[in-house]
Amino acid sequence: MRKIGFIGCGHMAKALIKGLQKNSAFSISGHDRNESNLAWLEHESIPQKSLADLCIESDIVVICVKPKDMYELCATMNKIIDKETKIISVAAGVTLENLKTALPGRKIFRAMPNIGAKDNLGITSIFSSKEDNEILEIFNFLGKAFVVDSEEKINLHTSLIGSGPAFYFEIINEFENRLDGLLPDNVSKRDVTLLFLTSLISAIKDGENLDDLIASIKSKGGTTEAGLNLLYNKNFIQIFSNAVDAAKNRAADLSMD
Ligand SMILES: NC(=O)c1ccc[n+]([C@@H]2O[C@H](COP(=O)([O-])OP(=O)(O)OC[C@H]3O[C@@H](n4cnc5c(N)ncnc54)[C@H](OP(=O)(O)O)[C@@H]3O)[C@@H](O)[C@H]2O)c1
């Protein structure tokens, strides 16, 4: 049984914990200062520990606090945590070098997961100066994990895959808003959305070419072409790409804060 302790049990930690709870090889505990997150831990029957107990008793500590809270927390952890304990930070933009300075001599890993981890459908990249199969296996249990060789790649992952779900949720949100004008009251909007998204996954799951798929829906002078032309004319693709860059640049900025 491996003991995994979470510091900060907000949105990201909850997704990771939900995914890990499906594996009885992990014994999970949590520490937070936020009442609603403490109530969630209680609801999930996850033991709450003091920071000191969690750091001392865990084999692996996962730090899931916001970047602004990181260094003060590390300064406290530095006085407590054993050199053999593996420490994972999921904080966007907090570099491995800064973590190593804050927690000298420790085994530190940067991981950039996303909320898909909740259903073991997460995508995580890991950056560290050490190779560690156990860390890779844990994140592979939560979906798909891979090791990257630079902070730059972690920042790209942060924007594309960490922040990315929110970009898609915005599009789905508008899709559902427009369904309001279409569906009768007795048809569930969410069911229709799920069916629609599942059909997209089904269409691409065997590696189909995306341009071919677009061509298969679009006919000259037709409705799809009219909609796509508007997207192209409004530079939608460039805008999407710029959004990824904005998030990536913000991740780089956060490392300077
Ligand atoms: N959300 C995502 O999809 C996502 C994806 C990839 C990476 N991340 C990374 O995950 C980290 C957490 O994000 P989140 O969205 O989960 O944040 P969150 O929901 O705000 O959760 C963070 C929790 O940590 C608590 N906390 C902060 N400092 C603490 C301390 N010293 N001791 C005890 N508890 C402390 C916070 O309490 P207070 O509320 O009192 O501050 C809060 O309850 C961030 O660094 C983010 O970059 C998030």
Side-chain angles (χ1 to χ4, degrees):
M1 181 82 82
R2 293 294 274 169
K3 296 185 200 128
I4 306 182
F6 284 82
I7 303 175
C9 298
H11 298 100
M12 193 63 240
K14 283 176 187 153
L16 297 171
I17 291 171
K18 275 283 180 196
L20 291 176
Q21 274 180 321
K22 295 172 195 117
N23 190 331
S24 57
F26 302 130
S27 160
I28 295 164
S29 62
H31 168 79
D32 204 305
R33 63 187 180 194
N34 175 301
E35 286 301 325
S36 73
N37 289 334
L38 291 174
W40 182 84
L41 288 172
E42 187 159 350
H43 179 262
E44 294 293 315
S45 307
I46 293 165
Q48 298 167 30
K49 293 186 177 171
S50 68
L51 182 64
D53 285 350
L54 183 138
C55 286
I56 291 163
E57 292 167 16
S58 303
D59 301 305
I60 299 165
V61 169
V62 190
I63 308 179
C64 296
V65 302
K66 293 261 174 34
K68 68 176 175 58
D69 294 317
M70 189 56 124
Y71 296 109
E72 197 181 328
L73 172 67
C74 286
T76 312
M77 287 175 68
N78 194 33
K79 297 180 199 138
I80 312 164
I81 199 157
D82 191 83
K83 294 231 179 322
E84 287 312 305
T85 308
K86 296 177 186 177
I87 302 171
I88 301 171
S89 160
V90 303
V94 180
T95 64
L96 187 64
E97 205 179 308
N98 285 350
L99 289 165
K100 281 181 166 177
T101 306
L103 292 162
R106 305 312 203 291
K107 297 177 176 173
I108 301 175
F109 304 84
R110 269 196 79 185
M112 189 45 60
N114 70 341
I115 51 166
K118 172 168 115 15
D119 299 303
N120 304 78
L121 296 170
I123 307 166
T124 305
S125 59
I126 298 164
F127 178 58
S128 178
S129 45
K130 293 183 191 310
E131 274 193 22
D132 191 293
N133 274 340
E134 182 182 33
I135 302 297
L136 192 59
E137 275 168 24
I138 287 172
F139 284 102
N140 267 323
F141 181 75
L142 292 167
K144 176 91 192 143
F146 47 88
V147 173
V148 296
D149 57 10
S150 70
E151 300 278 358
E152 169 81 7
K153 287 182 184 170
I154 285 272
N155 287 346
L156 179 58
H157 187 116
T158 304
S159 60
L160 204 55
I161 298 173
S163 306
F167 305 160
Y168 289 90
F169 290 149
E170 277 294 358
I171 293 173
I172 296 167
N173 209 1
E174 181 56 14
F175 178 88
E176 289 200 335
N177 286 340
R178 297 304 295 258
L179 281 180
D180 277 339
L182 170 70
L183 299 181
D185 288 347
N186 61 349
V187 176
S188 153
K189 203 156 60 166
R190 191 47 57 88
D191 284 351
V192 171
T193 305
L194 287 175
L195 203 59
F196 180 76
L197 292 175
T198 308
S199 76
L200 298 187
I201 292 164
S202 175
I204 63 171
K205 73 179 178 355
D206 295 322
E208 287 80 353
N209 179 290
L210 292 171
D211 288 328
D212 290 347
L213 285 172
I214 292 168
S216 75
I217 304 170
K218 185 172 80 170
S219 55
K220 198 161 172 44
T223 56
T224 310
E225 189 181 64
L228 282 173
N229 280 347
L230 186 122
L231 290 179
Y232 301 148
N233 289 339
K234 296 280 182 191
N235 281 334
F236 173 79
I237 288 148
Q238 190 60 46
I239 290 169
F240 186 86
S241 187
N242 289 351
V244 172
D245 285 339
K248 180 168 162 265
N249 294 339
R250 180 64 190 136
D253 286 350
L254 282 172
S255 62
M256 312 290 179
D257 286 353

